[in-house]
Amino acid sequence: MQDQVLISVVTVSYNAVSTIEQTILSVINQTYPHIEYIIIDGGSTDGTVDIIKKYADKIVYWVSESDKGIYDAMNKAIDVASGDYVNFINAGDKFCSLHILEKVMSFNHISDIIVGQDLHIDENDKIVSCSVLPPKYNLLHFYITTIPHQSCFIRTSLLKKYHYDISLNIVSDWKFFLQTIVFDGCSVAAYNNVIVVCNPRGASSDNRQMKKEREKVLQEMLPTYIINDYQLLSCLGEEFIENAFFLFNYRWMKFFFKKFFRLIVAVVKIFK
């Protein structure tokens, strides 16, 4: 039943005294009754902790201590989360309405990952952009963009299996989605409505660093799927042409196409 699905909502914060209260209120005032709210603070010194304490009776678990970055803080939340799904909503962001979690769970509470839209606004509450969900997720999609993380509901078991890579500063969530959706084939449900209202900001706006980290991830991950030719075909499937465009952007693409060409030659010999 939908009303039995527990959502672990997580807020990671650091010196967010001016913005965290609106986030907390947008969580604790949800009409959906089964929410486990977790706040992981990075040792704020600006009064953020005082605001967290103000709502401590509505928070299942919170801690304020130093960490190794945002993904380390998110991993701490994953370790204590007991819900069926986890949603990460940043300090300063807010759910678009007090009924949105109820609507999302009524829409789907079976898929591995439920994806909605982010609405981005500026400091004057003017709309800057709204994320668009694609008809399918493949390598080409992840080369161009990612998934709106704040508007995702992810199976807790998946997060506990992989956790986030703390060696990455920006794209660890992107790596997680690439692994689970593209390579592992986890199911995704697209909720084509806004879930979270957020302000564009932070390290993820550093496009040069983002590209560098993404290339590092791909160079580490894709060869493990190329070693076995059948894994390669399974990974790419009918979308090979689309993904070939993606692979041209990397220096080791010659190795990839050499392996693929050898597989084609082998298949031709079998059917001669």
Side-chain angles (χ1 to χ4, degrees):
M1 295 287 292
Q2 166 234 324
D3 60 2
Q4 296 176 328
V5 178
L6 180 64
I7 305 173
S8 297
V9 178
V10 176
T11 296
V12 171
S13 64
Y14 180 68
N15 286 345
V17 66
S18 63
T19 59
I20 193 171
E21 189 164 25
Q22 69 169 350
T23 304
I24 293 174
L25 290 173
S26 83
V27 176
I28 65 176
N29 290 324
Q30 286 291 311
T31 56
Y32 187 74
H34 301 290
I35 297 174
E36 172 188 72
Y37 194 24
I38 298 168
I39 298 180
I40 307 295
D41 182 73
S44 295
T45 58
D46 67 341
T48 298
V49 175
D50 293 330
I51 294 178
I52 295 172
K53 289 179 178 178
K54 179 180 175 181
Y55 300 99
D57 61 324
K58 304 291 185 180
I59 302 168
V60 171
Y61 177 89
W62 73 272
V63 67
S64 181
E65 61 186 18
S66 61
D67 53 51
K68 299 175 183 177
I70 188 170
Y71 292 119
D72 183 37
M74 292 164 75
N75 284 340
K76 289 181 181 181
I78 291 167
D79 288 339
V80 300
S82 60
D84 299 286
Y85 288 95
V86 175
N87 167 265
F88 294 96
I89 182 166
N90 295 331
D93 298 341
K94 60 184 178 180
F95 287 117
C96 68
S97 77
L98 299 182
H99 308 284
I100 190 60
L101 296 190
E102 188 176 357
K103 291 179 179 179
V104 170
M105 287 298 104
S106 296
F107 163 72
N108 187 298
H109 56 275
I110 298 172
S111 297
D112 296 317
I113 300 171
I114 304 167
V115 184
Q117 295 173 292
D118 282 350
L119 182 67
H120 296 263
I121 61 173
D122 62 18
E123 61 276 7
N124 299 314
D125 291 334
K126 181 180 179 181
I127 296 175
V128 176
S129 64
C130 184
S131 56
V132 177
L133 304 184
K136 57 185 175 181
Y137 294 94
N138 52 31
L139 283 173
L140 180 60
H141 169 81
F142 283 98
Y143 169 67
I144 297 171
T145 183
T146 185
I147 283 178
H149 198 203
Q150 297 95 325
S151 292
C152 269
F153 297 82
I154 307 167
R155 282 281 177 199
T156 308
S157 56
L158 282 177
L159 290 164
K160 288 183 182 292
K161 178 180 178 180
Y162 290 109
H163 283 77
Y164 289 109
D165 184 348
I166 63 173
S167 70
L168 300 168
N169 295 319
I170 299 176
V171 304
S172 191
D173 52 318
W174 178 85
K175 176 183 178 181
F176 171 83
F177 289 129
L178 183 68
Q179 174 70 60
T180 55
I181 297 174
V182 177
F183 293 150
D184 291 357
C186 291
S187 57
V188 181
Y191 181 76
N192 282 290
N193 292 281
V194 172
I195 293 178
V196 170
V197 178
C198 56
N199 294 301
R201 65 195 182 283
S204 59
S205 62
D206 186 345
N207 291 328
R208 182 176 297 180
Q209 179 65 21
M210 181 188 296
K211 185 176 180 180
K212 182 179 178 181
E213 287 192 8
R214 284 184 177 182
E215 183 164 351
K216 174 179 178 290
V217 168
L218 289 164
Q219 288 175 337
E220 290 173 353
M221 291 180 68
L222 281 183
T224 65
Y225 290 83
I226 293 172
I227 290 172
N228 184 312
D229 293 322
Y230 296 102
Q231 285 181 339
L232 172 62
L233 284 180
S234 176
C235 172
L236 296 181
E238 297 175 354
E239 299 162 5
F240 175 76
I241 299 300
E242 287 181 307
N243 291 308
F245 167 80
F246 160 80
L247 290 162
F248 267 105
N249 291 273
Y250 295 91
R251 288 177 295 232
W252 42 265
M253 57 151 290
K254 290 183 179 179
F255 170 74
F256 173 89
F257 283 105
K258 182 178 179 181
K259 288 286 290 182
F260 185 77
F261 179 74
R262 285 172 56 191
L263 176 61
I264 295 299
V265 170
V267 171
V268 170
K269 286 181 178 179
I270 290 173
F271 289 98
K272 267 189 174 182

PDB file of all heavy atoms in Angstrom, residues 88-120:
ATOM      1  N   PHE A  88      17.040  13.454  -1.276  1.00  0.00           N
ATOM      2  CA  PHE A  88      17.993  14.447  -0.769  1.00  0.00           C
ATOM      3  C   PHE A  88      17.525  15.839  -1.176  1.00  0.00           C
ATOM      4  O   PHE A  88      17.516  16.175  -2.368  1.00  0.00           O
ATOM      5  CB  PHE A  88      19.391  14.191  -1.341  1.00  0.00           C
ATOM      6  CG  PHE A  88      20.020  12.906  -0.885  1.00  0.00           C
ATOM      7  CD1 PHE A  88      19.947  11.763  -1.659  1.00  0.00           C
ATOM      8  CD2 PHE A  88      20.682  12.836   0.328  1.00  0.00           C
ATOM      9  CE1 PHE A  88      20.529  10.577  -1.248  1.00  0.00           C
ATOM     10  CE2 PHE A  88      21.268  11.658   0.757  1.00  0.00           C
ATOM     11  CZ  PHE A  88      21.189  10.520  -0.030  1.00  0.00           C
ATOM     12  N   ILE A  89      17.133  16.629  -0.209  1.00  0.00           N
ATOM     13  CA  ILE A  89      16.719  17.999  -0.491  1.00  0.00           C
ATOM     14  C   ILE A  89      17.690  18.937   0.224  1.00  0.00           C
ATOM     15  O   ILE A  89      17.831  18.902   1.446  1.00  0.00           O
ATOM     16  CB  ILE A  89      15.252  18.261  -0.079  1.00  0.00           C
ATOM     17  CG1 ILE A  89      14.837  19.682  -0.439  1.00  0.00           C
ATOM     18  CG2 ILE A  89      15.006  17.936   1.388  1.00  0.00           C
ATOM     19  CD1 ILE A  89      13.331  19.911  -0.366  1.00  0.00           C
ATOM     20  N   ASN A  90      18.377  19.755  -0.541  1.00  0.00           N
ATOM     21  CA  ASN A  90      19.432  20.608   0.002  1.00  0.00           C
ATOM     22  C   ASN A  90      18.880  21.729   0.871  1.00  0.00           C
ATOM     23  O   ASN A  90      17.743  22.182   0.688  1.00  0.00           O
ATOM     24  CB  ASN A  90      20.252  21.234  -1.134  1.00  0.00           C
ATOM     25  CG  ASN A  90      21.009  20.193  -1.921  1.00  0.00           C
ATOM     26  OD1 ASN A  90      21.386  19.150  -1.400  1.00  0.00           O
ATOM     27  ND2 ASN A  90      21.241  20.470  -3.195  1.00  0.00           N
ATOM     28  N   ALA A  91      19.694  22.184   1.799  1.00  0.00           N
ATOM     29  CA  ALA A  91      19.332  23.353   2.608  1.00  0.00           C
ATOM     30  C   ALA A  91      19.150  24.546   1.675  1.00  0.00           C
ATOM     31  O   ALA A  91      20.025  24.860   0.866  1.00  0.00           O
ATOM     32  CB  ALA A  91      20.423  23.644   3.631  1.00  0.00           C
ATOM     33  N   GLY A  92      18.010  25.195   1.764  1.00  0.00           N
ATOM     34  CA  GLY A  92      17.691  26.315   0.878  1.00  0.00           C
ATOM     35  C   GLY A  92      16.681  25.940  -0.187  1.00  0.00           C
ATOM     36  O   GLY A  92      15.993  26.803  -0.731  1.00  0.00           O
ATOM     37  N   ASP A  93      16.576  24.642  -0.485  1.00  0.00           N
ATOM     38  CA  ASP A  93      15.559  24.170  -1.423  1.00  0.00           C
ATOM     39  C   ASP A  93      14.277  23.857  -0.651  1.00  0.00           C
ATOM     40  O   ASP A  93      14.284  23.749   0.571  1.00  0.00           O
ATOM     41  CB  ASP A  93      16.042  22.925  -2.160  1.00  0.00           C
ATOM     42  CG  ASP A  93      17.276  23.200  -3.003  1.00  0.00           C
ATOM     43  OD1 ASP A  93      17.538  24.379  -3.308  1.00  0.00           O
ATOM     44  OD2 ASP A  93      17.994  22.239  -3.331  1.00  0.00           O
ATOM     45  N   LYS A  94      13.183  23.687  -1.386  1.00  0.00           N
ATOM     46  CA  LYS A  94      11.919  23.368  -0.723  1.00  0.00           C
ATOM     47  C   LYS A  94      11.029  22.571  -1.666  1.00  0.00           C
ATOM     48  O   LYS A  94      11.125  22.679  -2.894  1.00  0.00           O
ATOM     49  CB  LYS A  94      11.199  24.647  -0.294  1.00  0.00           C
ATOM     50  CG  LYS A  94      10.862  25.594  -1.432  1.00  0.00           C
ATOM     51  CD  LYS A  94      10.232  26.892  -0.920  1.00  0.00           C
ATOM     52  CE  LYS A  94       9.934  27.847  -2.073  1.00  0.00           C
ATOM     53  NZ  LYS A  94       9.330  29.117  -1.593  1.00  0.00           N
ATOM     54  N   PHE A  95      10.178  21.755  -1.090  1.00  0.00           N
ATOM     55  CA  PHE A  95       9.206  21.032  -1.899  1.00  0.00           C
ATOM     56  C   PHE A  95       8.196  22.032  -2.463  1.00  0.00           C
ATOM     57  O   PHE A  95       7.863  23.032  -1.817  1.00  0.00           O
ATOM     58  CB  PHE A  95       8.504  19.968  -1.072  1.00  0.00           C
ATOM     59  CG  PHE A  95       9.374  18.780  -0.750  1.00  0.00           C
ATOM     60  CD1 PHE A  95       9.702  18.475   0.560  1.00  0.00           C
ATOM     61  CD2 PHE A  95       9.871  17.984  -1.762  1.00  0.00           C
ATOM     62  CE1 PHE A  95      10.509  17.392   0.856  1.00  0.00           C
ATOM     63  CE2 PHE A  95      10.687  16.897  -1.484  1.00  0.00           C
ATOM     64  CZ  PHE A  95      11.008  16.599  -0.164  1.00  0.00           C
ATOM     65  N   CYS A  96       7.716  21.750  -3.661  1.00  0.00           N
ATOM     66  CA  CYS A  96       6.873  22.716  -4.372  1.00  0.00           C
ATOM     67  C   CYS A  96       5.509  22.916  -3.714  1.00  0.00           C
ATOM     68  O   CYS A  96       4.871  23.948  -3.897  1.00  0.00           O
ATOM     69  CB  CYS A  96       6.704  22.303  -5.831  1.00  0.00           C
ATOM     70  SG  CYS A  96       5.739  20.792  -6.059  1.00  0.00           S
ATOM     71  N   SER A  97       5.064  21.925  -2.956  1.00  0.00           N
ATOM     72  CA  SER A  97       3.806  22.059  -2.229  1.00  0.00           C
ATOM     73  C   SER A  97       3.844  21.140  -1.021  1.00  0.00           C
ATOM     74  O   SER A  97       4.704  20.258  -0.916  1.00  0.00           O
ATOM     75  CB  SER A  97       2.613  21.702  -3.117  1.00  0.00           C
ATOM     76  OG  SER A  97       2.497  20.296  -3.257  1.00  0.00           O
ATOM     77  N   LEU A  98       2.893  21.319  -0.123  1.00  0.00           N
ATOM     78  CA  LEU A  98       2.840  20.479   1.071  1.00  0.00           C
ATOM     79  C   LEU A  98       2.205  19.112   0.787  1.00  0.00           C
ATOM     80  O   LEU A  98       2.188  18.244   1.660  1.00  0.00           O
ATOM     81  CB  LEU A  98       2.054  21.192   2.178  1.00  0.00           C
ATOM     82  CG  LEU A  98       2.646  22.524   2.652  1.00  0.00           C
ATOM     83  CD1 LEU A  98       1.798  23.114   3.779  1.00  0.00           C
ATOM     84  CD2 LEU A  98       4.094  22.348   3.109  1.00  0.00           C
ATOM     85  N   HIS A  99       1.721  18.922  -0.443  1.00  0.00           N
ATOM     86  CA  HIS A  99       1.072  17.660  -0.807  1.00  0.00           C
ATOM     87  C   HIS A  99       1.924  16.835  -1.773  1.00  0.00           C
ATOM     88  O   HIS A  99       1.498  15.749  -2.163  1.00  0.00           O
ATOM     89  CB  HIS A  99      -0.287  17.930  -1.464  1.00  0.00           C
ATOM     90  CG  HIS A  99      -1.181  18.831  -0.678  1.00  0.00           C
ATOM     91  ND1 HIS A  99      -1.864  18.405   0.444  1.00  0.00           N
ATOM     92  CD2 HIS A  99      -1.496  20.148  -0.827  1.00  0.00           C
ATOM     93  CE1 HIS A  99      -2.563  19.410   0.940  1.00  0.00           C
ATOM     94  NE2 HIS A  99      -2.361  20.479   0.190  1.00  0.00           N
ATOM     95  N   ILE A 100       3.092  17.320  -2.135  1.00  0.00           N
ATOM     96  CA  ILE A 100       3.822  16.713  -3.249  1.00  0.00           C
ATOM     97  C   ILE A 100       4.292  15.285  -2.946  1.00  0.00           C
ATOM     98  O   ILE A 100       4.244  14.419  -3.823  1.00  0.00           O
ATOM     99  CB  ILE A 100       5.019  17.604  -3.688  1.00  0.00           C
ATOM    100  CG1 ILE A 100       5.612  17.071  -5.001  1.00  0.00           C
ATOM    101  CG2 ILE A 100       6.070  17.702  -2.597  1.00  0.00           C
ATOM    102  CD1 ILE A 100       4.646  17.051  -6.161  1.00  0.00           C
ATOM    103  N   LEU A 101       4.728  14.992  -1.736  1.00  0.00           N
ATOM    104  CA  LEU A 101       5.179  13.627  -1.444  1.00  0.00           C
ATOM    105  C   LEU A 101       4.020  12.640  -1.508  1.00  0.00           C
ATOM    106  O   LEU A 101       4.170  11.507  -1.966  1.00  0.00           O
ATOM    107  CB  LEU A 101       5.862  13.567  -0.079  1.00  0.00           C
ATOM    108  CG  LEU A 101       7.150  14.375   0.069  1.00  0.00           C
ATOM    109  CD1 LEU A 101       7.848  14.030   1.387  1.00  0.00           C
ATOM    110  CD2 LEU A 101       8.097  14.153  -1.091  1.00  0.00           C
ATOM    111  N   GLU A 102       2.868  13.081  -1.075  1.00  0.00           N
ATOM    112  CA  GLU A 102       1.663  12.253  -1.168  1.00  0.00           C
ATOM    113  C   GLU A 102       1.328  11.958  -2.635  1.00  0.00           C
ATOM    114  O   GLU A 102       0.990  10.823  -3.001  1.00  0.00           O
ATOM    115  CB  GLU A 102       0.503  12.983  -0.490  1.00  0.00           C
ATOM    116  CG  GLU A 102      -0.756  12.171  -0.344  1.00  0.00           C
ATOM    117  CD  GLU A 102      -1.838  12.916   0.431  1.00  0.00           C
ATOM    118  OE1 GLU A 102      -1.577  14.043   0.903  1.00  0.00           O
ATOM    119  OE2 GLU A 102      -2.939  12.350   0.556  1.00  0.00           O
ATOM    120  N   LYS A 103       1.463  12.972  -3.481  1.00  0.00           N
ATOM    121  CA  LYS A 103       1.175  12.795  -4.908  1.00  0.00           C
ATOM    122  C   LYS A 103       2.186  11.866  -5.571  1.00  0.00           C
ATOM    123  O   LYS A 103       1.822  11.018  -6.392  1.00  0.00           O
ATOM    124  CB  LYS A 103       1.182  14.158  -5.613  1.00  0.00           C
ATOM    125  CG  LYS A 103       0.021  15.061  -5.233  1.00  0.00           C
ATOM    126  CD  LYS A 103       0.116  16.399  -5.954  1.00  0.00           C
ATOM    127  CE  LYS A 103      -1.059  17.297  -5.605  1.00  0.00           C
ATOM    128  NZ  LYS A 103      -0.959  18.622  -6.280  1.00  0.00           N
ATOM    129  N   VAL A 104       3.455  12.022  -5.227  1.00  0.00           N
ATOM    130  CA  VAL A 104       4.496  11.178  -5.834  1.00  0.00           C
ATOM    131  C   VAL A 104       4.291   9.717  -5.458  1.00  0.00           C
ATOM    132  O   VAL A 104       4.375   8.825  -6.301  1.00  0.00           O
ATOM    133  CB  VAL A 104       5.901  11.652  -5.407  1.00  0.00           C
ATOM    134  CG1 VAL A 104       6.959  10.646  -5.840  1.00  0.00           C
ATOM    135  CG2 VAL A 104       6.205  13.019  -6.005  1.00  0.00           C
ATOM    136  N   MET A 105       3.998   9.458  -4.198  1.00  0.00           N
ATOM    137  CA  MET A 105       3.800   8.075  -3.773  1.00  0.00           C
ATOM    138  C   MET A 105       2.515   7.476  -4.345  1.00  0.00           C
ATOM    139  O   MET A 105       2.427   6.267  -4.550  1.00  0.00           O
ATOM    140  CB  MET A 105       3.794   7.996  -2.248  1.00  0.00           C
ATOM    141  CG  MET A 105       5.162   8.182  -1.616  1.00  0.00           C
ATOM    142  SD  MET A 105       6.381   6.902  -2.090  1.00  0.00           S
ATOM    143  CE  MET A 105       7.396   7.818  -3.268  1.00  0.00           C
ATOM    144  N   SER A 106       1.527   8.314  -4.610  1.00  0.00           N
ATOM    145  CA  SER A 106       0.310   7.824  -5.269  1.00  0.00           C
ATOM    146  C   SER A 106       0.592   7.506  -6.734  1.00  0.00           C
ATOM    147  O   SER A 106      -0.016   6.601  -7.317  1.00  0.00           O
ATOM    148  CB  SER A 106      -0.804   8.872  -5.179  1.00  0.00           C
ATOM    149  OG  SER A 106      -1.183   9.087  -3.848  1.00  0.00           O
ATOM    150  N   PHE A 107       1.530   8.243  -7.322  1.00  0.00           N
ATOM    151  CA  PHE A 107       1.898   8.043  -8.720  1.00  0.00           C
ATOM    152  C   PHE A 107       2.664   6.737  -8.903  1.00  0.00           C
ATOM    153  O   PHE A 107       2.375   5.945  -9.803  1.00  0.00           O
ATOM    154  CB  PHE A 107       2.748   9.223  -9.194  1.00  0.00           C
ATOM    155  CG  PHE A 107       3.516   8.969 -10.453  1.00  0.00           C
ATOM    156  CD1 PHE A 107       2.879   8.896 -11.685  1.00  0.00           C
ATOM    157  CD2 PHE A 107       4.895   8.793 -10.415  1.00  0.00           C
ATOM    158  CE1 PHE A 107       3.595   8.653 -12.853  1.00  0.00           C
ATOM    159  CE2 PHE A 107       5.619   8.552 -11.574  1.00  0.00           C
ATOM    160  CZ  PHE A 107       4.970   8.483 -12.795  1.00  0.00           C
ATOM    161  N   ASN A 108       3.666   6.497  -8.058  1.00  0.00           N
ATOM    162  CA  ASN A 108       4.492   5.297  -8.198  1.00  0.00           C
ATOM    163  C   ASN A 108       5.259   5.060  -6.905  1.00  0.00           C
ATOM    164  O   ASN A 108       5.891   5.964  -6.379  1.00  0.00           O
ATOM    165  CB  ASN A 108       5.466   5.456  -9.371  1.00  0.00           C
ATOM    166  CG  ASN A 108       6.230   4.166  -9.666  1.00  0.00           C
ATOM    167  OD1 ASN A 108       6.984   3.663  -8.843  1.00  0.00           O
ATOM    168  ND2 ASN A 108       6.028   3.637 -10.863  1.00  0.00           N
ATOM    169  N   HIS A 109       5.192   3.838  -6.399  1.00  0.00           N
ATOM    170  CA  HIS A 109       6.007   3.472  -5.247  1.00  0.00           C
ATOM    171  C   HIS A 109       6.562   2.063  -5.436  1.00  0.00           C
ATOM    172  O   HIS A 109       6.757   1.322  -4.478  1.00  0.00           O
ATOM    173  CB  HIS A 109       5.193   3.559  -3.946  1.00  0.00           C
ATOM    174  CG  HIS A 109       3.937   2.742  -3.951  1.00  0.00           C
ATOM    175  ND1 HIS A 109       2.756   3.213  -4.475  1.00  0.00           N
ATOM    176  CD2 HIS A 109       3.675   1.494  -3.503  1.00  0.00           C
ATOM    177  CE1 HIS A 109       1.821   2.279  -4.350  1.00  0.00           C
ATOM    178  NE2 HIS A 109       2.367   1.227  -3.760  1.00  0.00           N
ATOM    179  N   ILE A 110       6.843   1.750  -6.719  1.00  0.00           N
ATOM    180  CA  ILE A 110       7.344   0.421  -7.079  1.00  0.00           C
ATOM    181  C   ILE A 110       8.717   0.499  -7.740  1.00  0.00           C
ATOM    182  O   ILE A 110       9.587  -0.344  -7.495  1.00  0.00           O
ATOM    183  CB  ILE A 110       6.355  -0.292  -8.030  1.00  0.00           C
ATOM    184  CG1 ILE A 110       5.007  -0.492  -7.334  1.00  0.00           C
ATOM    185  CG2 ILE A 110       6.914  -1.629  -8.494  1.00  0.00           C
ATOM    186  CD1 ILE A 110       3.913  -1.017  -8.231  1.00  0.00           C
ATOM    187  N   SER A 111       8.940   1.517  -8.576  1.00  0.00           N
ATOM    188  CA  SER A 111      10.191   1.627  -9.333  1.00  0.00           C
ATOM    189  C   SER A 111      11.394   1.819  -8.416  1.00  0.00           C
ATOM    190  O   SER A 111      11.270   2.283  -7.277  1.00  0.00           O
ATOM    191  CB  SER A 111      10.102   2.793 -10.320  1.00  0.00           C
ATOM    192  OG  SER A 111       9.079   2.560 -11.266  1.00  0.00           O
ATOM    193  N   ASP A 112      12.578   1.487  -8.941  1.00  0.00           N
ATOM    194  CA  ASP A 112      13.819   1.659  -8.173  1.00  0.00           C
ATOM    195  C   ASP A 112      14.116   3.138  -7.948  1.00  0.00           C
ATOM    196  O   ASP A 112      14.588   3.522  -6.883  1.00  0.00           O
ATOM    197  CB  ASP A 112      14.998   1.019  -8.914  1.00  0.00           C
ATOM    198  CG  ASP A 112      14.845  -0.486  -9.058  1.00  0.00           C
ATOM    199  OD1 ASP A 112      14.447  -1.130  -8.068  1.00  0.00           O
ATOM    200  OD2 ASP A 112      15.118  -1.017 -10.146  1.00  0.00           O
ATOM    201  N   ILE A 113      13.847   3.944  -8.975  1.00  0.00           N
ATOM    202  CA  ILE A 113      14.108   5.381  -8.892  1.00  0.00           C
ATOM    203  C   ILE A 113      12.918   6.126  -9.484  1.00  0.00           C
ATOM    204  O   ILE A 113      12.458   5.812 -10.578  1.00  0.00           O
ATOM    205  CB  ILE A 113      15.392   5.767  -9.658  1.00  0.00           C
ATOM    206  CG1 ILE A 113      16.595   5.029  -9.075  1.00  0.00           C
ATOM    207  CG2 ILE A 113      15.628   7.282  -9.613  1.00  0.00           C
ATOM    208  CD1 ILE A 113      17.873   5.184  -9.896  1.00  0.00           C
ATOM    209  N   ILE A 114      12.410   7.083  -8.736  1.00  0.00           N
ATOM    210  CA  ILE A 114      11.327   7.947  -9.229  1.00  0.00           C
ATOM    211  C   ILE A 114      11.935   9.328  -9.461  1.00  0.00           C
ATOM    212  O   ILE A 114      12.554   9.895  -8.564  1.00  0.00           O
ATOM    213  CB  ILE A 114      10.186   8.039  -8.211  1.00  0.00           C
ATOM    214  CG1 ILE A 114       9.668   6.638  -7.860  1.00  0.00           C
ATOM    215  CG2 ILE A 114       9.053   8.909  -8.757  1.00  0.00           C
ATOM    216  CD1 ILE A 114       8.769   6.601  -6.645  1.00  0.00           C
ATOM    217  N   VAL A 115      11.776   9.846 -10.665  1.00  0.00           N
ATOM    218  CA  VAL A 115      12.411  11.117 -11.041  1.00  0.00           C
ATOM    219  C   VAL A 115      11.350  12.159 -11.365  1.00  0.00           C
ATOM    220  O   VAL A 115      10.451  11.914 -12.167  1.00  0.00           O
ATOM    221  CB  VAL A 115      13.329  10.946 -12.273  1.00  0.00           C
ATOM    222  CG1 VAL A 115      14.048  12.246 -12.571  1.00  0.00           C
ATOM    223  CG2 VAL A 115      14.325   9.830 -12.059  1.00  0.00           C
ATOM    224  N   GLY A 116      11.467  13.327 -10.735  1.00  0.00           N
ATOM    225  CA  GLY A 116      10.597  14.445 -11.052  1.00  0.00           C
ATOM    226  C   GLY A 116      11.390  15.621 -11.578  1.00  0.00           C
ATOM    227  O   GLY A 116      12.574  15.485 -11.912  1.00  0.00           O
ATOM    228  N   GLN A 117      10.783  16.770 -11.635  1.00  0.00           N
ATOM    229  CA  GLN A 117      11.425  17.959 -12.183  1.00  0.00           C
ATOM    230  C   GLN A 117      11.846  18.924 -11.075  1.00  0.00           C
ATOM    231  O   GLN A 117      11.205  19.023 -10.036  1.00  0.00           O
ATOM    232  CB  GLN A 117      10.469  18.675 -13.141  1.00  0.00           C
ATOM    233  CG  GLN A 117      10.128  17.875 -14.381  1.00  0.00           C
ATOM    234  CD  GLN A 117       9.046  18.553 -15.198  1.00  0.00           C
ATOM    235  OE1 GLN A 117       7.907  18.647 -14.768  1.00  0.00           O
ATOM    236  NE2 GLN A 117       9.410  19.030 -16.386  1.00  0.00           N
ATOM    237  N   ASP A 118      12.943  19.629 -11.328  1.00  0.00           N
ATOM    238  CA  ASP A 118      13.393  20.734 -10.489  1.00  0.00           C
ATOM    239  C   ASP A 118      12.964  22.046 -11.124  1.00  0.00           C
ATOM    240  O   ASP A 118      13.111  22.222 -12.339  1.00  0.00           O
ATOM    241  CB  ASP A 118      14.928  20.763 -10.388  1.00  0.00           C
ATOM    242  CG  ASP A 118      15.459  19.729  -9.416  1.00  0.00           C
ATOM    243  OD1 ASP A 118      14.651  19.127  -8.693  1.00  0.00           O
ATOM    244  OD2 ASP A 118      16.678  19.529  -9.381  1.00  0.00           O
ATOM    245  N   LEU A 119      12.461  22.962 -10.334  1.00  0.00           N
ATOM    246  CA  LEU A 119      12.197  24.319 -10.788  1.00  0.00           C
ATOM    247  C   LEU A 119      13.258  25.226 -10.171  1.00  0.00           C
ATOM    248  O   LEU A 119      13.388  25.288  -8.939  1.00  0.00           O
ATOM    249  CB  LEU A 119      10.806  24.771 -10.356  1.00  0.00           C
ATOM    250  CG  LEU A 119      10.386  26.177 -10.816  1.00  0.00           C
ATOM    251  CD1 LEU A 119      10.212  26.217 -12.338  1.00  0.00           C
ATOM    252  CD2 LEU A 119       9.095  26.605 -10.125  1.00  0.00           C
ATOM    253  N   HIS A 120      14.032  25.896 -11.007  1.00  0.00           N
ATOM    254  CA  HIS A 120      15.115  26.758 -10.533  1.00  0.00           C
ATOM    255  C   HIS A 120      14.661  28.217 -10.537  1.00  0.00           C
ATOM    256  O   HIS A 120      14.154  28.712 -11.540  1.00  0.00           O
ATOM    257  CB  HIS A 120      16.354  26.598 -11.425  1.00  0.00           C
ATOM    258  CG  HIS A 120      16.942  25.230 -11.385  1.00  0.00           C
ATOM    259  ND1 HIS A 120      18.001  24.894 -10.588  1.00  0.00           N
ATOM    260  CD2 HIS A 120      16.603  24.091 -12.040  1.00  0.00           C
ATOM    261  CE1 HIS A 120      18.297  23.626 -10.747  1.00  0.00           C
ATOM    262  NE2 HIS A 120      17.457  23.107 -11.626  1.00  0.00           N
TER     263      HIS A 120
END
